[in-house]
Amino acid sequence: MPPSARPLLAAAAVLCVWLLVAVAEAKEHHYEWDISYQLKSPDCFEKLAVTVNGEAPGPTIRATLGDTIVVAVHNKLETENTAIHWHGIRQIGTPWADGVAGVTQCPILPGETFTYKFVVDRPGTYLYHAHYGMQRVAGLNGMIVVTVPDGFVEPFSYDEEHTVLLGDWWHKSVYEQATGLSSNPFVFVTEPQSLLINGRGMFNCSLAPSGTCNASRPDCALPTLFTAVPGKTYLLRIGSLTSLSSLYFEIEGHPMMVVEADGHYVRPFAVRGLFIYSGETYSVLVKADQDPRRNYWAASHVVGRNPSQTPSGKAVVSYAFNGNNPWMPPPTAPPAGPAWNNTAIRVEQSRAIFAHPRFVEPMPARADRTLLLLNTQNRIDGHIKWTINGVSLMFPATPYLVAMKRGMKDAYEQRPPPDMYDHMSHDISAPAPTNGTVGSPVYRLALGSVVDVVLQNSNMLNNKSETHPWHLHGHDFWVLGHGEGKFNPAADAWRLLNVRDPIMKNTVPLHPDGWTAVRFRADNPGVWLFHCHVEAHVFMGMGVVFEEGVERVGRLPSSIMGCGRSKGLH
């Protein structure tokens, strides 16, 4: 046996053990969730937020590999639909539970109840959030923690764990933001007013209209991230559900050891702070080895966009030590973070993530199909849209999964979208030509085939290039690499990609003025969205839809129907 094959066999053996244990000890976890608007002041400014049982963020779901999650969602928004996506859960055998209105289900109407039921098939850190319109901006989100079965030893150890959910927050309503994005002239959502850490932030009330902001509210106190006992090691499960912002998260004086990304163990590497993009999750180890007579700042900072309008998010790590006041703010100034426009150090972290040597998942040697997808910003019929290879995605009235399974061919666009763009002549450093179309086409993938996707960034209409975190539903993918400039399939770029120990993820950044290459196996029957996780961008059309083996999908539950051509089938 060649030495290179041993890690692959070891990974396969570990997976088999996990599955056997999970089947033998699986449990069901039941939740009843009321989704409603409540007045909240997460950053001292009072506004309406979409809540789960009155709270935002919602509760953390905790389960063990192989368990079944059952969530009865009661929509009590009164005038607004909803749907919830279980971000990072592959929904193997339950594609209708992915929770994307317009793709896998009709939205949940006001006053109605929809029950999601699915198996968590991989340990790790995951997320959930609204996936209807731009509703995620309003606060419907939370975390999912899936632990390993008893007896399984992870490739790291720690004394205690905590969840850290990062977000950004606006004082404008979702309706105002969506209307501006759809208007002519175009009105952008602007920069967020606050960054939140575990749903808490601190806005400068002197900048707010009288009566709307009150820094003396109990929920406006400086939050404590966790209390550290000297000498102990802590596992922080960090997730980002920002709607716009790329972030840098750090704890003053405490370096982090990255050990997991999107549910996959990584070759451990140390960072002073963590660059994290919307939709990503990481687990890091932090050692409580600093002076215990004081407390320390935890902070998140905007990177990739000018942060002048968005102050850093702040929390405190307090030390449990005789003589230390756990409520005392740190004696130092909060850390300032790195230069917001230094793309090189962000790309460096992306390139430093490799699969753990004992958990390398075998990757197919070559792809059956390659998609070269160009991100451009276009003006279509006077409206600014994002397009992929010239097509701006608009969800049809009938969810793709329902339409395809029931043969409703007139419910979505039948002409396939282009696999490539004219990479020889297109200049990625210039704004796109004023062209493009709005449509609902689908990439039809052969079941079991291996697909390479190269995401190519290009300049927007304002001649700038931004970061786009791309998330694939229903799958994990191997991250082959990140590059600068324009990807040229005819050159030797493929030889520069990592095919030896690539990390698997479900969300990956596409950096400014560059490209990102991923590979996945289309082996999960269903219809799956692949999109930028910036809420405004997917709302403006930055996404594509994959279909694979829809004929293998079991009988669809009638509860996902009732809209478009599926009226009367609910």
Side-chain angles (χ1 to χ4, degrees):
M1 177 191 304
S4 60
R6 291 171 188 158
L8 305 184
L9 291 176
V14 168
L15 180 59
C16 288
V17 171
W18 277 357
L19 293 175
L20 289 171
V21 173
V23 170
E25 300 181 359
K27 300 177 182 178
E28 277 197 359
H29 304 266
H30 291 261
Y31 300 88
E32 296 279 338
W33 285 3
D34 289 345
I35 308 302
S36 65
Y37 271 110
Q38 302 289 334
L39 282 170
K40 294 289 182 180
S41 50
D43 65 346
C44 309
F45 183 96
E46 187 175 65
K47 63 165 287 188
L48 286 173
V50 179
T51 65
V52 178
N53 294 340
E55 297 299 325
T60 297
I61 292 176
R62 295 184 179 273
T64 301
L65 169 70
D67 287 355
T68 297
I69 305 298
V70 183
V71 185
V73 175
H74 310 292
N75 183 2
K76 296 190 174 182
L77 296 175
E78 297 186 0
T79 60
E80 194 170 330
N81 301 336
T82 194
I84 299 179
H85 169 55
W86 314 96
H87 184 111
I89 307 300
R90 293 180 293 179
Q91 300 293 349
I92 297 173
T94 53
W96 48 80
D98 193 43
V100 185
V103 178
T104 60
Q105 70 171 97
C106 291
I108 309 169
L109 301 179
E112 290 198 349
T113 294
F114 183 92
T115 299
Y116 293 96
K117 184 176 182 179
F118 54 89
V119 174
V120 289
D121 68 302
R122 183 185 297 282
T125 308
Y126 305 101
L127 306 162
Y128 65 83
H129 57 82
H131 219 305
Y132 174 77
M134 289 181 62
Q135 199 173 78
R136 175 160 62 93
V137 179
L140 202 175
N141 56 50
M143 300 189 73
I144 304 172
V145 173
V146 182
T147 57
V148 297
D150 289 341
F152 178 79
V153 179
E154 294 185 285
F156 48 84
S157 60
Y158 55 93
D159 299 298
E160 194 176 306
E161 71 172 56
H162 300 277
T163 56
V164 181
L165 181 58
L166 305 176
D168 47 14
W169 192 247
W170 283 259
H171 297 164
K172 277 187 177 181
S173 72
V174 172
Y175 294 113
E176 290 176 280
Q177 293 191 35
T179 299
L181 296 175
S182 304
S183 297
N184 183 9
F186 176 80
V187 180
F188 191 55
V189 299
T190 71
E191 304 303 315
Q193 276 69 62
S194 299
L195 296 181
L196 306 183
I197 300 177
N198 285 341
R200 302 274 292 280
M202 297 187 74
F203 182 70
N204 183 352
C205 286
S206 67
L207 303 176
S210 176
T212 60
C213 192
N214 185 351
S216 64
R217 289 190 177 104
D219 57 356
C220 292
L222 187 64
T224 298
L225 191 69
F226 67 96
T227 300
V229 174
K232 286 193 173 183
T233 298
Y234 294 87
L235 179 75
L236 302 186
R237 297 180 180 269
I238 306 171
S240 173
L241 278 175
T242 55
S243 293
L244 176 67
S245 310
S246 302
L247 299 177
Y248 178 81
F249 176 77
E250 62 181 322
I251 299 177
E252 178 192 12
H254 294 73
M256 305 175 184
M257 183 69 68
V258 182
V259 294
E260 180 228 334
D262 288 1
H264 293 269
Y265 299 125
V266 308
R267 183 195 304 169
F269 66 98
V271 294
R272 193 190 82 177
L274 181 73
F275 292 105
I276 185 169
Y277 306 91
S278 179
E280 286 192 313
T281 64
Y282 289 95
S283 289
V284 303
L285 298 177
V286 176
K287 181 83 170 179
D289 58 0
Q290 297 300 299
D291 183 353
R293 295 170 297 177
R294 52 159 292 191
N295 301 322
Y296 296 84
W297 291 107
S300 63
H301 317 277
V302 171
V303 292
R305 304 179 65 86
N306 192 327
S308 59
Q309 300 176 52
T310 308
S312 298
K314 296 187 289 290
V316 171
V317 173
S318 65
Y319 267 75
F321 184 74
N322 266 346
N324 181 46
N325 182 351
W327 309 111
M328 181 69 68
T332 51
W340 67 269
N341 55 355
N342 187 338
T343 301
I345 58 174
R346 293 190 280 130
V347 175
E348 182 181 351
Q349 179 187 290
S350 294
R351 290 175 172 165
I353 306 174
F354 302 98
H356 192 284
R358 285 169 38 205
F359 297 91
V360 177
E361 297 214 15
M363 185 179 71
R366 61 186 59 85
D368 302 301
R369 184 175 177 183
T370 297
L371 303 177
L372 187 53
L373 304 182
L374 173 69
N375 284 19
T376 56
Q377 197 179 63
N378 298 63
R379 192 177 295 277
I380 303 174
D381 296 330
H383 298 271
I384 295 180
K385 299 284 187 182
W386 282 101
T387 65
I388 302 300
N389 289 359
V391 180
S392 183
L393 181 64
M394 181 177 66
F395 296 154
T398 308
Y400 289 100
L401 181 61
V402 176
M404 291 181 178
K405 186 66 177 173
R406 289 183 165 259
M408 302 173 180
K409 293 188 176 181
D410 58 345
Y412 61 96
E413 191 172 334
Q414 292 298 299
R415 186 174 63 176
D419 284 14
M420 300 280 179
Y421 75 99
D422 185 4
H423 63 274
M424 296 298 290
S425 62
H426 182 78
D427 182 2
I428 66 168
S429 64
T434 305
N435 57 18
T437 60
V438 176
S440 57
V442 179
Y443 287 95
R444 312 296 290 259
L445 308 177
L447 185 63
S449 63
V450 178
V451 182
D452 280 350
V453 180
V454 181
L455 297 162
Q456 177 66 63
N457 214 335
S458 67
N459 278 9
M460 303 181 296
L461 294 176
N462 64 5
N463 216 27
K464 296 179 181 178
S465 183
E466 291 187 345
T467 302
H468 303 287
W470 274 77
H471 170 56
L472 178 58
H473 293 228
H475 306 77
D476 295 331
F477 47 67
W478 292 275
V479 180
L480 298 175
H482 304 266
E484 292 85 25
K486 184 165 63 175
F487 180 84
N488 184 352
D492 63 351
W494 290 107
R495 283 186 277 167
L496 304 177
L497 302 183
N498 179 19
V499 296
R500 183 173 61 89
D501 54 357
I503 187 62
M504 295 195 81
K505 296 182 93 269
N506 62 64
T507 305
V508 67
L510 172 60
H511 293 289
D513 302 307
W515 52 264
T516 296
V518 303
R519 177 174 295 174
F520 72 97
R521 192 185 296 276
D523 57 0
N524 191 5
V527 186
W528 308 104
L529 185 61
F530 184 40
H531 65 103
C532 177
H533 215 257
V534 171
E535 194 78 331
H537 291 179
V538 68
F539 181 80
M540 296 164 64
M542 192 188 293
V544 298
V545 173
F546 296 138
E547 177 275 327
E548 59 205 57
V550 74
E551 69 282 354
R552 300 282 190 92
V553 174
R555 183 178 179 179
L556 300 182
S558 61
S559 57
I560 70 171
M561 306 178 198
C563 57
R565 291 281 312 280
S566 69
K567 286 180 179 177
L569 301 176
H570 183 51

